[in-house]
């Protein structure tokens, strides 16, 4: 009797450890590989004795912040995607398809053009990203509760439209902006883990981790929600509160990610999907594996992006799209997947 | 704690601005099976929803086991009342996991994993509903009848005092129909679970229910034992169709016979 | 495996994650600002992030110290052979660190975050703002020379150039000014305002920039038609230049089109001038605008 339960839990622990291991490997790979390959044994030497050498500089000034950011943002986006997919019970949902990221981008764009961050300080950038994200969430929430627009398919359509409108607005802002601003915007929309501000960089993984903890508290609720909102209600779940809290968490994570690292798509869509196919739909294992998986995935993509045509750097968003999309298509074609 | 598991006093309620139910007054003693019957759209499902607080009272009160429903938290309600919906969403989840979800109302604040006791309870009810053999099967791979049994198992795992079912047998073959109704009867008699079930089939309602509530246009038209409610005049008044009421030869409960309209006309013509 | 054990393992995993994050973040924050090396020591290894800077380094004859430049640094020919560390807009930070430069010269177009990373790694980075006029071009050149201890040479070059420019200005001041439209971008149409050194080209060579008052540089074809320039100069961007010429030829009311006075100038020459190439470009422009005026090359030397 109890053996069945134990099997399930053992499987979960196994998966969680596996994905954690994947993350650790991705971190190590990111440390070692770049336009200069530093083998693993040398790394320990450098960390302890190498202060002042070039390799030390590369590891600590260039690669370490990238790793911290990649960890934080990959996990945040992936978690946000998993949460949104759980709330909407729809596998096509992720921060980008709902227009959340588009609006966050718009917020940051606005900030750059009107130079608000010069007035009030560097934190207005993540703040404007988050405000944009929250605006999109509120819009979707309000419109989806109005009579006649309650169906989930309509929410998706709404999200796509918001996404399009945001991109168009961004293009419009770009066309009327001065050249100096233009560069800033273009760099930023291409998605990059090159942020240097210490506080922003450190904030990313901490925020993601906090998001994970909050999300975990609602993991049972998400499981119940997968049976339908009414059924979840009958199980004693406070459905509205669950949706509200998780909406806010997802938009916080997205807004933060977009404002620090620009537009990096696909992570929120592909990783939870892929993880769900492997570990199942129970959110108690899905959330944590998506967390680790997303972080590892982004780190690997970033390593590819900055190594392939070194010394030039590809935008990491392009790599996540290519690798992520390819993996997903391949897996879907092989397996009959029922979500 | 009172004798009545459910009491509805002067209940008016509906969806948004539309009031569906009016003047609902009845009390249900513990240990009964009540059947809710009535024509399409008369508010049967709405009535069930009113008991679980999805449909809120515009006026009036709902009292569950002596406590006001409006003052109960969702969780407390879930421990007392369990619902088997008409068409639950089919999720890709295996039966054991599905049934285990019935223990959610009992999870403590920071509990994430089911305790061994939770699992035992779930397995017990799966055995009761004869779904234990299906425990690793996915809901998507099962027949309607099996799914219904799994849903009942899940509802029972909530260990409710009151079980609500919304047309549990409407889409099933007679084997499953009788099987499920017999199960409800057994739960009621042997386990003391109070049951309210919405039924389309008047005869099933008559066979299995202690009392019937006949709804019409959001109001209670008649309430009472099958003998008092299932008379041809009442049925014709509410359902607007001619019926003949006989006695079931085994149980002696009222048995409603439907009449083909054409045959009736011919007979009337013959009698003239 | 009991339930308790399972809970413990899960909690440990969370803890491990928290520790991992904390460890990484602390290691990162624990980095002090990199040592800038010894400030006053000699500059032996230079990296340039812009074509103008590269060219000027060759002018100052310190190109033996130039360790790497961008892929767009193609003048003089020798610059092509230097190691490449990226484009004007994006550089390979790791590669630059490995090259151990004593100083990195950046432009206003350089990626600020990447430059910040270089500085955090202890590398000296000096950024040159885009010059908006001829005096600013000379000013930038002088600043560069100071870093490279070649101030004298720079002064020499600048004073020669200034003399020549004065001579040209004087000569062209009496000439009848022609209306010029200088196009530096297509789709959307872009021109130069008063605040650009290209405006100085136009000014010094006896021309009048019809778009001098523009604020963003964005200009419409209609505005050009209204302005009716005598000469249209297109800073070439490959085949786009030829297409643009054909486009203009549709508008027969413009003087420049009537008189077939649509010219091309090398965008490299016009958009990234050193003091010396400034003169070259200036003379070229005069040849287009006022071919009747003969500039004596020996003047000002």
């Amino acid at each position: 009797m109890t053996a069945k339960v134990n099997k399930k839990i053992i499987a979960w622990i196994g998966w969680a450890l596996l994905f954690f291991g994947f993350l650790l490997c991705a971190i190590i790979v990111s440390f070692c590989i770049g336009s200069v390959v530093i083998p693993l044994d040398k790394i320990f030497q450098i960390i302890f004795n190498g202060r002042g050498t070039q390799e030390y500089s590369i590891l600590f000034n260039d690669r370490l912040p990238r790793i911290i950011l990649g960890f934080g943002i990959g996990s945040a986006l992936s978690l946000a995607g998993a949460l949104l997919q759980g709330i909407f019970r729809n596998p096509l949902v992720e921060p980008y398809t709902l227009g959340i990221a588009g609006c966050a981008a718009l917020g940051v764009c606005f900030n750059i053009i009107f130079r608000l961050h010069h007035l009030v300080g560097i934190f207005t950038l993540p703040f404007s990203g988050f405000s944009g994200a929250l605006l999109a969430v509120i819009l979707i929430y309000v419109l989806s509760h109005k009579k006649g627009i309650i169906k989930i398919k309509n929410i998706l359509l709404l999200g796509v439209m918001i996404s399009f409108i945001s991109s168009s607005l961004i293009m419009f802002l770009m066309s009327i902006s001065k050249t100096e601003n233009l560069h800033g915007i273009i760099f930023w929309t291409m998605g990059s883990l090159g942020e240097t501000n210490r506080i922003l960089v450190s904030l990313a993984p901490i925020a993601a981790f906090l998001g994970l903890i909050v999300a975990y508290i609602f993991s049972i609720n998400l499981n119940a929600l997968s049976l339908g909102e009414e059924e979840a209600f009958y199980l004693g779940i406070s459905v509205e509160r669950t949706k509200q809290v998780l909406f806010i968490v997802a938009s916080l994570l997205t807004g933060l990610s977009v404002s620090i690292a620009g537009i990096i798509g696909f992570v929120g869509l592909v990783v939870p999907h892929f993880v769900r196919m492997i570990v199942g739909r129970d959110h108690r294992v899905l959330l944590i594996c998506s967390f680790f998986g997303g972080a590892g995935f982004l780190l690997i993509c970033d390593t590819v992006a900055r190594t392939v045509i070194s010394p030039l750097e590809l935008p990491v968003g392009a790599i996540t799209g290519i690798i992520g999309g390819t993996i997903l298509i391949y897996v879907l074609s092989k397996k009959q997947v029922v979500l | 704690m009172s004798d009545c598991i459910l009491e509805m006093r002067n209940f008016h309620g509906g969806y948004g601005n539309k009031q569906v139910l009016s003047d609902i007054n009845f009390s249900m003693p513990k240990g009964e099976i009540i059947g809710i019957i009535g024509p399409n759209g008369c508010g049967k499902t709405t009535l069930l929803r009113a008991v679980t607080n999805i449909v809120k009272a515009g006026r009036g009160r709902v009292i569950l086991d002596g406590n006001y429903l409006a003052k109960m938290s969702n969780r407390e309600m879930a421990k007392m009342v369990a619902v088997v919906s008409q068409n639950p969403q089919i999720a890709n989840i295996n039966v054991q996991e599905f049934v285990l979800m019935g223990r959610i109302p009992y999870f403590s604040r920071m509990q994430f994993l089911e305790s061994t006791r939770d699992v035992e309870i779930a397995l017990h009810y799966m055995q009761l509903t004869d779904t234990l053999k299906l425990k690793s099967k996915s809901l998507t791979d099962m027949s309607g009848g099996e799914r219904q049994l799994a849903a009942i198992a899940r509802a029972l795992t909530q260990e409710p005092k009151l079980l609500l079912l919304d047309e549990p047998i409407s889409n099933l073959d007679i084997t499953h129909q009788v099987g499920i109704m017999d199960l409800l009867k057994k739960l009621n008699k042997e386990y003391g679970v109070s049951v309210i079930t919405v039924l389309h089939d008047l005869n099933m309602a008559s066979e299995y229910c202690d009392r019937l509530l006949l709804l019409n246009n959001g109001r209670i038209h008649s309430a009472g034992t099958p003998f008092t409610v299932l008379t041809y005049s009442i049925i014709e008044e509410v359902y607007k169709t001619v019926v003949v009421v006989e006695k079931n030869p085994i149980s002696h409960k009222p048995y409603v016979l439907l009449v083909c309209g054409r045959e009736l006309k011919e007979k009337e013509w013959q009698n003239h | 495996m009991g339930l308790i054990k399972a809970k413990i393992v899960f909690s440990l995993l969370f803890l491990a994650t928290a520790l991992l994050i904390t460890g990484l973040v602390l290691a990162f924050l624990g980095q002090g600002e990199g040592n800038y090396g010894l400030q006053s020591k000699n500059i032996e290894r230079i990296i340039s992030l812009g074509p103008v800077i590269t060219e000027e380094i060759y002018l100052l004859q310190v190109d033996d110290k130039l360790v790497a430049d961008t892929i767009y640094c193609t003048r003089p020919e020798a610059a092509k052979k230097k190691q490449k560390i990226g484009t004007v807009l994006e550089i390979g930070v790791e590669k630059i660190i490995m090259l151990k430069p004593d100083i990195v010269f950046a432009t206003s177009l350089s990626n600020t975050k990447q430059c910040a990373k270089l500085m955090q790694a202890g590398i000296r980075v000096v950024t040159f703002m885009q010059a908006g006029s001829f005096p600013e071009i000379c000013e930038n050149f002088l600043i560069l020379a100071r870093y490279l201890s070649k101030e004298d040479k720079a002064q020499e070059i600048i004073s020669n150039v200034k003399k020549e420019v004065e001579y040209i200005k004087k000569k062209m001041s009496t000439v009848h000014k022609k209306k010029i439209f200088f196009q530096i971008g297509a789709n959307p149409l872009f021109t130069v305002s008063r605040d650009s050194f290209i405006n100085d080209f136009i000014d010094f060579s006896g021309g009048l920039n019809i778009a001098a008052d523009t604020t963003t540089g964005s200009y419409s074809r209609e505005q050009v038609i209204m302005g009716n320039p005598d000469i249209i100069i297109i800073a070439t961007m490959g085949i786009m230049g030829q297409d643009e010429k054909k486009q203009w030829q549709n508008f027969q009311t413009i003087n420049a089109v009537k008189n077939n006075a649509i010219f091309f100038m090398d965008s490299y020459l016009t958009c990234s001038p050193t003091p010396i190439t400034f003169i070259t470009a200036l003379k070229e422009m005069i040849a287009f605008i006022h071919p009747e005026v003969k500039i004596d090359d020996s003047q000002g030397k």
Side-chain angles (χ1 to χ4, degrees):
Chain A
M1 297 266 191
T2 40
K4 199 58 197 281
V5 179
N6 290 343
K7 244 204 208 167
K8 172 177 91 178
I9 295 181
I10 292 177
W12 285 359
I13 292 180
W15 287 124
L17 287 175
L18 188 75
F19 276 92
F20 189 66
F22 169 62
L23 172 60
L24 288 178
C25 288
I27 291 181
I28 293 176
V29 164
S30 295
F31 257 125
C32 295
I33 298 186
S35 45
V36 177
V37 178
I38 306 177
L40 195 55
D41 40 343
K42 262 187 108 185
I43 288 194
F44 286 110
Q45 227 184 339
I46 295 174
I47 294 180
F48 294 114
N49 298 327
R51 232 198 166 122
T53 64
Q54 272 57 48
E55 283 87 352
Y56 188 87
S57 266
I58 290 183
L59 284 182
F60 281 86
N61 293 113
D62 190 40
R63 293 192 190 165
L64 182 57
R66 295 189 89 100
I67 288 173
I68 296 179
L69 264 185
F71 187 149
I73 291 182
S75 57
L77 288 176
S78 179
L79 186 64
L83 290 178
L84 291 172
Q85 285 169 12
I87 297 177
F88 285 97
R89 299 187 295 287
N90 185 311
L92 281 182
V93 156
E94 68 132 357
Y96 284 85
T97 53
L98 284 187
I100 298 181
C103 267
L106 189 61
V108 178
C109 218
F110 209 72
N111 187 317
I112 293 182
I113 300 229
F114 295 105
R115 298 185 162 264
L116 296 172
H117 63 291
H118 283 175
L119 294 171
V120 198
I122 195 86
F123 289 105
T124 53
L125 225 55
F127 182 72
S128 47
F130 170 56
S131 315
L134 202 59
L135 182 70
V137 164
I138 292 175
L139 213 68
I140 294 175
Y141 201 72
V142 164
L143 288 177
S144 70
H145 272 63
K146 259 178 116 179
K147 278 191 185 173
I149 318 188
I150 304 183
K151 296 211 181 95
I152 292 230
K153 295 173 205 126
N154 290 355
I155 292 183
L156 215 65
L157 201 60
L158 198 64
V160 171
M161 288 196 292
I162 293 181
S163 213
F164 274 133
I165 294 178
S166 312
S167 328
S168 309
L169 282 174
I170 292 179
M171 272 195 265
F172 166 69
L173 285 176
M174 272 168 59
S175 66
I176 60 168
S177 70
K178 295 198 172 150
T179 339
E180 314 90 74
N181 287 338
L182 208 64
H183 285 127
I185 297 174
I186 293 181
F187 278 141
W188 176 84
T189 55
M190 294 211 291
S192 153
L193 297 183
E195 178 61 58
T196 46
N197 180 295
R198 283 158 192 256
I199 301 186
L200 289 180
V201 167
S202 314
L203 194 59
I206 296 175
F209 187 66
L210 290 175
L212 179 68
I213 294 188
V214 173
Y216 236 84
I217 296 176
F218 287 85
S219 54
I220 302 257
N221 297 27
L222 279 170
N223 282 350
L225 217 57
S226 69
L227 297 177
E229 282 187 29
E230 197 168 324
E231 296 293 316
F233 188 83
Y234 292 145
L235 288 173
I237 303 286
S238 37
V239 172
E240 287 306 308
R241 189 157 70 97
T242 302
K243 290 201 299 190
Q244 281 161 12
V245 171
L246 294 181
F247 245 141
I248 291 182
V249 169
S251 69
L252 248 174
L253 292 174
T254 306
L256 195 68
S257 304
V258 169
S259 58
I260 297 180
I263 298 189
I264 302 178
F266 256 95
V267 179
L269 182 65
V270 165
V271 176
H273 235 80
F274 192 69
V275 171
R276 195 180 289 117
M277 288 198 283
I278 298 179
V279 311
R281 12 178 14 262
D282 196 314
H283 287 87
R284 290 171 286 184
V285 67
L286 180 67
L287 292 181
I288 197 166
C289 290
S290 298
F291 188 83
F292 294 143
F297 176 63
L298 188 59
L299 283 174
I300 303 241
C301 287
D302 181 60
T303 307
V304 170
R306 59 187 162 85
T307 314
V308 159
I309 52 167
S310 175
L312 298 175
E313 193 183 304
L314 289 168
V316 67
I319 304 293
T320 56
I322 295 173
I323 296 186
T326 318
I327 292 181
L328 199 62
I329 293 177
Y330 175 75
V331 176
L332 284 178
S333 66
K334 287 272 169 178
K335 215 175 155 184
Q336 260 292 47
V337 172
V338 181
L339 237 65
Chain B
M1 291 294 163
S2 62
D3 283 327
C4 286
I5 183 68
L6 173 65
E7 240 189 284
M8 292 182 83
R9 289 187 201 155
N10 203 23
F11 184 92
H12 295 68
Y15 302 103
N17 291 331
K18 192 168 156 220
Q19 182 169 294
V20 174
L21 298 171
S22 333
D23 254 335
I24 304 289
N25 280 288
F26 75 93
S27 57
M28 174 182 179
K30 288 185 186 166
E32 272 195 356
I33 301 186
I34 289 193
I36 301 183
I37 52 177
N40 283 339
C42 67
K44 307 193 289 290
T45 306
T46 313
L47 187 59
L48 282 190
R49 290 207 174 122
V51 178
T52 52
N53 217 10
I54 287 193
V55 167
K56 302 226 190 299
R59 245 199 304 160
R61 294 210 195 294
V62 176
I63 301 172
L64 276 176
D65 200 12
N67 301 308
Y68 285 119
L69 178 63
K71 296 218 172 88
M72 284 170 101
S73 76
N74 208 10
R75 268 174 114 223
E76 286 166 29
M77 188 272 295
K79 289 187 200 174
M80 238 192 258
V81 181
V83 180
V84 178
S85 303
Q86 192 169 5
N87 288 316
Q89 273 190 353
I90 303 171
N92 184 19
I93 182 176
N94 71 27
V95 171
Q96 179 162 346
E97 291 303 309
F98 178 62
V99 172
L100 262 173
M101 285 208 195
R103 298 304 299 163
I104 288 180
Y106 294 91
F107 280 9
S108 59
R109 194 95 267 178
M110 280 295 146
Q111 183 181 347
F112 295 113
L113 294 169
E114 300 85 16
S115 65
T116 16
R117 187 156 178 276
D118 287 327
V119 180
E120 278 168 14
I121 294 177
L123 291 172
H124 168 69
Y125 286 111
M126 276 163 62
Q127 185 159 49
L128 199 63
T129 56
D130 200 26
T131 50
L132 192 58
K133 56 186 193 275
L134 300 170
K135 70 178 178 187
S136 307
K137 239 179 157 186
S138 163
L139 287 186
T140 47
D141 288 338
M142 288 161 46
S143 71
E146 290 172 330
R147 242 178 278 154
Q148 200 67 286
L149 286 169
I152 294 177
R154 200 209 72 217
L156 292 174
T157 311
Q158 282 175 253
E159 301 205 301
K161 299 201 178 113
L162 175 62
L163 187 64
L164 303 178
L165 301 110
D166 195 351
E167 296 194 35
I169 57 174
S170 294
N171 297 325
L172 305 179
D173 59 36
I174 51 176
T175 325
H176 282 106
Q177 285 194 10
V178 174
I180 287 181
M181 294 311 290
D182 278 345
L183 173 63
L184 291 179
K185 198 81 185 183
K186 177 176 174 177
L187 289 169
N188 178 254
K189 292 288 177 241
E190 291 179 28
Y191 288 78
V193 180
S194 310
V195 177
I196 300 181
T197 173
V198 169
L199 286 170
H200 255 319
D201 189 332
L202 298 177
N203 294 318
M204 284 303 223
S206 170
E207 275 298 290
Y208 288 94
C209 300
D210 299 319
R211 284 202 296 153
L212 296 177
L213 282 178
L214 174 59
L215 292 185
N216 196 14
N217 290 328
R219 288 170 187 276
I220 297 183
H221 186 276
S222 316
T225 64
F227 294 99
T228 44
V229 174
L230 293 178
T231 65
Y232 78 88
S233 51
I234 291 179
I235 296 175
E236 280 178 24
E237 191 187 324
V238 174
Y239 284 92
K240 312 253 187 297
T241 185
V242 177
V243 297
V244 175
V245 180
E246 292 287 344
K247 272 206 190 346
N248 181 306
I250 310 285
S251 65
H252 302 293
K253 299 265 177 72
Y255 192 87
V256 179
L257 293 161
L258 303 177
V259 180
C260 170
R262 205 189 166 90
E263 297 278 317
L264 186 65
K265 279 203 165 56
E266 279 180 15
K267 198 132 195 199
E268 280 176 3
W269 187 83
Q270 271 179 14
N271 284 343
H272 278 82
Chain C
M1 179 185 274
L3 219 57
I4 309 286
K5 275 200 207 154
K7 288 186 191 163
I8 293 180
V9 175
F10 255 99
S11 316
L12 279 179
L13 203 57
F14 269 86
L15 199 63
T17 314
L19 282 176
L20 182 64
I21 295 177
T22 318
L24 289 173
V25 168
L26 284 180
F28 173 56
L29 292 178
Q31 295 303 304
E33 287 300 324
N35 49 322
Y36 278 75
L38 308 154
Q39 287 304 326
S40 52
K41 83 166 188 230
N42 288 335
I43 292 179
E44 292 300 318
R45 298 173 67 80
I46 308 171
I47 292 188
S48 158
L49 301 188
V52 181
I53 298 168
T54 304
E55 231 182 308
E56 289 178 352
I57 289 178
Y58 274 87
L59 275 181
L60 294 171
Q61 293 171 332
V62 284
D63 49 285
D64 50 328
K65 299 189 182 169
L66 183 63
V67 166
D69 57 16
T70 75
I71 57 181
Y72 292 114
C73 298
T74 50
R75 285 178 201 224
E77 276 297 312
K80 288 188 196 169
K81 300 207 188 74
K82 296 283 179 184
Q83 274 202 68
K84 302 295 169 191
I85 42 75
T87 66
V88 174
L89 301 174
E90 281 218 41
I91 55 179
V93 170
E94 287 184 11
K95 196 158 180 195
I96 292 182
I97 294 180
M98 286 310 286
L99 289 171
K100 294 196 252 225
D102 297 313
I103 194 165
V104 171
F105 291 115
T107 69
S108 51
L109 295 177
S110 304
N111 184 327
T112 39
K113 294 214 167 72
Q114 290 180 314
C115 291
K117 279 221 169 124
L118 291 177
M119 288 194 274
Q120 279 172 1
I123 296 176
R124 204 163 164 201
V125 178
V126 174
T127 309
F128 285 94
M129 287 299 127
Q130 178 91 315
S133 64
F134 173 63
E136 278 176 27
I137 293 176
C138 298
E139 179 74 32
N140 280 352
F141 186 47
L142 205 55
I143 295 176
L144 178 68
R146 276 196 204 116
Y147 277 107
L148 303 172
S149 314
K150 282 284 185 169
E151 201 170 337
D152 294 335
K153 179 107 181 119
Q155 291 283 24
E156 195 190 317
I157 296 177
I158 289 178
S159 66
N160 284 340
V161 167
K162 277 195 174 154
K163 272 193 223 151
E164 223 180 325
V165 166
E166 283 310 309
Y167 162 70
I168 292 176
K169 271 168 92 170
K170 215 161 148 217
K171 198 144 194 210
M172 305 309 292
S173 60
T174 51
V175 167
H176 162 72
K177 295 217 180 293
K178 297 216 182 147
K179 291 194 284 182
I180 316 274
F181 176 67
F182 198 103
Q183 176 176 354
I184 58 170
N187 293 330
L189 198 59
F190 247 82
T191 183
V192 293
S193 70
R194 188 169 286 123
D195 295 321
S196 158
F197 52 77
I198 297 182
N199 195 67
D200 279 1
F201 282 144
I202 299 174
D203 224 21
F204 298 170
S205 48
L208 215 61
N209 181 4
I210 64 169
D213 291 322
T214 182
T215 42
T216 58
S218 213
Y219 222 62
S220 72
R221 259 189 234 283
E222 285 155 20
Q223 284 173 293
V224 180
I225 297 174
M226 291 304 293
N228 196 9
D230 303 308
I231 316 248
I232 293 179
I233 302 183
I234 304 176
T236 50
M237 305 142 279
I239 12 159
M240 245 204 309
Q242 295 294 343
D243 280 342
E244 280 299 302
K245 183 167 183 178
K246 288 204 195 98
Q247 286 273 353
W248 287 118
Q249 281 160 342
N250 289 329
F251 301 97
Q252 290 294 322
T253 58
I254 304 180
N255 282 343
V257 178
K258 277 191 253 179
N259 302 327
N260 201 17
I262 302 181
F263 302 111
F264 294 106
M265 282 184 79
D266 180 16
S267 59
Y268 197 101
L269 192 64
T270 49
C271 297
S272 314
T274 65
I276 303 232
T277 53
F278 186 84
I279 298 273
T280 320
L282 193 56
K283 290 185 186 166
E284 204 175 307
M285 189 167 278
I286 294 177
F288 290 141
I289 305 179
H290 293 285
E292 70 282 4
V293 178
K294 285 281 178 280
I295 301 290
D296 187 353
D297 275 341
S298 63
Q299 274 299 328
K301 283 262 163 58

